[in-house]
Amino acid sequence: MSAPSWYRERNDRSLRYAGRVLPNDRPIVLSMGTDAATRYDGQVAAIVAANLLARMTPSLVFDIPDVEILPPLPWAGAKLRDQLTASAFAADPSGFLDSRKPKDGDYVLSLGRQYSAATVHGSGWNAFVGPGESPLPDSNQTNPVGPALASILAVARLFALEMAPLDGPYLFNAFNWRSHEISDTEVPPVDLTSNLGSIWSVGTGSVGTAVLYFLTLVTNRFSSALFDMDFVKIHNLDRSPIFVASDVDEVNRKSKVAVTEAYLRSVGVQNVTLEQKPLDQSSLWFDRRAGTPDLLVSAANERNVRYIIEQSSPPLQIYGTTGANWEASVIRHIPLVDPCSCCLLPPDIPQAATTCATETVVRPDTGDAVDASLPFLSFAAGLMAAAEILKARLPGYPFSANRTT
């Protein structure tokens, strides 16, 4: 397939959703000083920004120091700039990647707290994006959520403003999902020694894989079961942080669960079970013991899946969704506390308020319904769900309403 055809198919769902993609003739530079590059949160910001932008533009530049990646990131010991380049090339083998200082005409995102026209700074649970110096202190907690959220928000604003100067500032915290800073003294730290238990993922599309991706930026201490019957296609590459170009094979098709398993094992998750079938046909689901799994990421809507879940003594459910109006949400169902998923998203309503990873649109050429969203929305929904999963073991949980948009 020629490069123009490949990009056209890769960008298909973004074009259906927004009617445009980023221009390919204006480089976007990720710039970072040594102070930020040698911090865990700075490295998370760079890794997430590079992963997301590589799925949106072929013109990506790294102005990044040659430093080693820190634990608990799964690539600890490798060079940061090498990892950014490798992940970007894996997502887009035809990309025009470069490593250099910014030039006139570049769009520069400055990762870190220093003054710039487009400052991207996240630390702990907090995220800041805007012109000027970040007001946030550097957190002492090892937490990927704030820096990942800052990178996603920066790319969202870059796209929304069509690469005009940032109109911020924007400041959020992902602990209680409010627009103010929250300090380390107000929240207990994420316990990196704790096992998250068994996390089962119903749906390994864009949001489902994003949840797992963001969790593995801080821990591989969980077991996983993956339920999905679909295969990786080119149009999946712009919204999932773990699917790469080599996962698309029209002859020997690769299942989403197999590709997701391979990623999880590559970052140290040892116990992974595959079910390449829908939940209503899964003996693993129906024969499971009471109390299993510890948590369900229910990132699917097909085949009346919410009814199947709710009729089978469901555990705690946490998942992300995207919607038609450029929104991302996280939804939680604590049994006997929160409304169940059938109450929130009734199965007898043809068009529910949200869909798990996408918004349904109609193809004008065939009249068929297809799923469409924007890359940063799926990343955001997955991150929001991962944040709730990390918080679920903290004393006093929950800290917000069962649905946050």
Side-chain angles (χ1 to χ4, degrees):
M1 182 182 294
S2 67
S5 297
W6 189 90
Y7 282 119
R8 197 160 46 245
E9 192 164 346
R10 197 276 305 268
N11 296 335
D12 178 76
R13 298 316 195 246
S14 291
L15 289 167
R16 294 185 190 283
Y17 191 101
R20 62 183 173 87
V21 293
L22 288 173
N24 61 14
D25 58 350
R26 186 179 181 192
I28 299 174
V29 181
L30 295 179
S31 182
M32 177 182 266
T34 302
D35 288 348
T38 52
R39 289 182 55 89
Y40 165 82
D41 46 23
Q43 294 183 357
V44 169
I47 288 167
V48 172
N51 190 329
L52 178 54
L53 283 169
R55 300 169 191 276
M56 297 177 66
T57 177
S59 301
L60 188 55
V61 176
F62 300 125
D63 175 26
I64 304 288
D66 193 25
V67 299
E68 285 192 358
I69 297 177
L70 301 171
L73 285 165
W75 310 280
K79 294 292 187 180
L80 177 61
R81 193 166 59 209
D82 291 345
Q83 174 60 29
L84 302 183
T85 303
S87 67
F89 265 130
D92 179 3
S94 299
F96 309 117
L97 302 182
D98 201 357
S99 179
R100 59 168 173 78
K101 293 294 183 183
K103 299 178 181 178
D104 290 343
D106 292 343
Y107 192 105
V108 182
L109 293 176
S110 297
L111 308 179
R113 58 194 327 277
Q114 73 285 348
Y115 182 94
S116 77
T119 301
V120 182
H121 180 224
S123 197
W125 294 104
N126 300 308
F128 170 83
V129 172
E133 183 178 353
S134 168
L136 299 177
D138 285 326
S139 171
N140 292 319
Q141 297 186 6
T142 302
N143 185 333
V145 179
L149 180 59
S151 289
I152 295 167
L153 177 61
V155 175
R157 295 312 301 158
L158 177 156
F159 184 88
L161 297 170
E162 301 187 55
M163 300 182 73
L166 285 182
D167 60 348
Y170 295 88
L171 193 154
F172 297 97
N173 83 71
F175 188 79
N176 55 23
W177 304 112
R178 296 182 179 175
S179 54
H180 62 75
E181 172 196 334
I182 193 161
S183 70
D184 283 358
T185 60
E186 297 176 77
V187 294
V190 174
D191 184 1
L192 300 183
T193 65
S194 176
N195 192 307
L196 297 181
S198 55
I199 300 176
W200 288 14
S201 299
V202 182
T204 53
S206 56
V207 172
T209 55
V211 176
L212 296 169
Y213 171 79
F214 287 114
L215 287 177
T216 59
L217 294 184
V218 71
T219 184
N220 56 22
R221 297 174 62 83
F222 60 91
S223 65
S224 176
L226 309 170
F227 302 79
D228 203 305
M229 16 174 219
D230 201 4
F231 297 88
V232 180
K233 304 176 185 70
I234 293 177
H235 66 254
N236 300 134
L237 299 182
D238 73 335
R239 290 173 290 159
S240 166
I242 72 170
F243 297 156
V244 297
S246 61
D247 295 327
V248 180
D249 189 327
E250 298 299 330
V251 178
N252 301 305
R253 296 190 300 170
K254 296 185 180 182
S255 68
K256 290 180 177 178
V257 291
V259 171
T260 305
E261 178 200 27
Y263 168 78
L264 290 174
R265 293 195 184 281
S266 76
V267 296
V269 180
Q270 297 180 359
N271 187 347
V272 186
T273 303
L274 307 190
E275 281 279 85
Q276 195 181 344
K277 59 182 66 173
L279 203 64
D280 60 286
Q281 295 179 1
S282 170
S283 58
L284 180 63
W285 173 255
F286 287 112
D287 296 343
R288 75 195 199 282
R289 294 181 180 179
T292 303
D294 296 304
L295 186 143
L296 189 68
V297 180
S298 44
N301 279 322
E302 299 85 358
R303 302 173 66 97
N304 213 15
V305 67
R306 303 210 178 280
Y307 178 82
I308 300 298
I309 291 170
E310 297 299 345
Q311 292 300 305
S312 306
S313 301
L316 168 65
Q317 295 180 66
I318 295 174
Y319 53 97
T321 71
T322 67
N325 298 309
W326 291 42
E327 75 249 16
S329 302
V330 60
I331 299 176
R332 180 193 70 236
H333 306 290
I334 300 175
L336 306 180
V337 176
D338 295 325
C340 79
S341 60
C342 287
C343 294
L344 194 62
L345 302 171
D348 55 344
I349 296 178
Q351 281 290 86
T354 60
T355 53
C356 270
T358 53
E359 175 64 16
T360 300
V361 298
V362 176
R363 290 182 56 167
D365 52 343
T366 65
D368 296 334
V370 298
D371 293 331
S373 189
L374 293 168
F376 48 81
L377 295 181
S378 298
F379 272 57
L383 176 66
M384 294 172 78
E388 287 300 305
I389 293 171
L390 292 174
K391 285 182 277 183
R393 299 179 68 88
L394 299 181
Y397 185 80
F399 308 106
S400 57
N402 71 300
R403 178 171 177 169
T404 298
T405 300

